[in-house]
Amino acid sequence: GIEVVTGVCEKEAQRLNERFFTWITKQRPFITLKYAMTLDGKIATATGDSKWITGEEARTFAHRLRKQHDAVLVGIGTVLEDDPELTTRLVRGKNPVRVVLDSSLKISLMAAVLNPLADTIIFTGLDSDIVKTEALAALPNVEVVRLPLADGVLPVAQVVQALAERDITSLLVEGGSAIHGAFFDAGLADRVCAFVAPKLIGGAAALPPIGGAGSSLVETGWQLTEVEIEKLGSDVLITGLVPELDKQELPKEAE
């Protein structure tokens, strides 16, 4: 005589625990790709300038995202161009572990990302300068991980595996076009957080948010699901889940 109702608030519960569920079922961090772009789909001008595309509210929200993830990842290009701290200084909360992809160890020993405010992991190639490697590893809260390169770049799948071995359960990727493309090409993207500003900068050489090989057809591109839209000042945040590649519906000619 007892009525049982199942699936109550199932989607809300999955959304609340998406990082934990991915960690348990896939044994890797839940990966969020975050970027800010103009209305014409650019993350930087042709000269590389990218400050600031979005306003203060969007940037504060981005720091809140850092607080919600165990680690935040950027490439050496971002470190050399912007010298970021990658902390949560705009909000109250813990700083994430800072991860830098630097295949040839170009990072400066004075880089802001090496300050002792949080732990930092630098991934580099096996042939990187051993003296500089030891100097970096001697800094407080800094670890250097050497990996074999694939076609001159660090394989993101091995980076993610190494982070999983260090109990990193969620990763916020704030890379540039090339790094975002590498994560998409490797099938290692779970959620996208795209901040869109009502600006236009134009330029054929201006960078798009996602590089890499990409999809050859529009209809086989990644169609985000459970999309949410939020207004942040004059900017808009669009976020959604990235479907697994092998679960996407392919066009009949590609089946």
Side-chain angles (χ1 to χ4, degrees):
I2 298 175
E3 180 183 2
V4 178
V5 181
T6 62
V8 178
C9 295
E10 181 178 358
K11 285 188 176 181
E12 291 83 354
Q14 289 176 339
R15 176 72 168 90
L16 185 65
N17 293 285
E18 60 187 6
R19 299 177 184 85
F20 174 74
F21 290 156
T22 296
W23 172 250
I24 294 299
T25 60
K26 297 184 178 180
Q27 297 182 331
R28 66 159 175 82
F30 180 90
I31 300 172
T32 302
L33 269 59
K34 169 259 174 185
Y35 54 84
M37 71 177 189
T38 59
L39 197 57
D40 53 342
K42 309 294 184 180
I43 62 171
T45 67
T47 63
D49 181 62
S50 61
K51 288 187 177 179
W52 295 102
I53 288 178
T54 54
E56 186 175 344
E57 289 187 39
R59 295 199 296 274
T60 300
F61 193 99
H63 279 228
R64 195 173 301 126
L65 284 176
R66 290 178 183 175
K67 181 179 71 171
Q68 295 169 355
H69 289 76
D70 288 344
V72 55
L73 181 149
V74 298
I76 185 59
T78 298
V79 173
L80 296 177
E81 184 71 26
D82 300 333
D83 195 28
E85 285 191 356
L86 299 180
T87 60
T88 59
R89 63 189 181 279
L90 298 183
V91 296
R92 298 179 66 180
K94 70 176 182 66
N95 290 319
V97 174
R98 301 170 295 192
V99 180
V100 180
L101 303 189
D102 186 1
S103 58
S104 56
L105 219 54
K106 296 178 181 177
I107 191 169
S108 166
L109 291 172
M110 302 301 294
V113 75
L114 300 177
N115 65 35
L117 296 175
D119 293 341
T120 301
I121 305 174
I122 303 172
F123 286 91
T124 190
L126 296 177
D127 295 331
S128 294
D129 185 286
I130 189 64
V131 174
K132 190 172 184 180
T133 298
E134 293 174 351
L136 287 165
L139 295 174
N141 304 324
V142 175
E143 178 185 7
V144 180
V145 180
R146 296 159 67 90
L147 295 175
L149 302 181
D151 296 325
V153 298
L154 289 160
V156 294
Q158 290 189 35
V159 170
V160 170
Q161 180 181 353
L163 293 177
E165 292 170 356
R166 288 159 175 77
D167 291 329
I168 300 295
T169 65
S170 57
L171 175 66
L172 179 65
V173 178
E174 294 189 17
S177 181
I179 287 183
H180 286 158
F183 273 87
F184 262 101
D185 290 345
L188 290 169
D190 298 301
R191 176 173 289 279
V192 168
C193 289
F195 296 87
V196 184
K199 294 181 181 179
L200 302 166
I201 60 175
L207 287 174
I210 301 172
S215 176
S216 59
L217 298 172
V218 172
E219 58 186 326
T220 57
W222 293 270
Q223 177 67 53
L224 299 186
T225 62
E226 300 183 32
V227 175
E228 302 170 11
I229 301 174
E230 182 176 352
K231 196 170 185 301
L232 299 167
S234 60
D235 306 314
V236 174
L237 169 63
I238 302 175
T239 182
L241 295 174
V242 181
E244 292 185 34
L245 194 59
D246 59 356
K247 293 183 179 180
Q248 285 184 272
E249 184 178 351
L250 297 176
K252 292 183 178 180
E253 62 269 24
E255 291 178 351

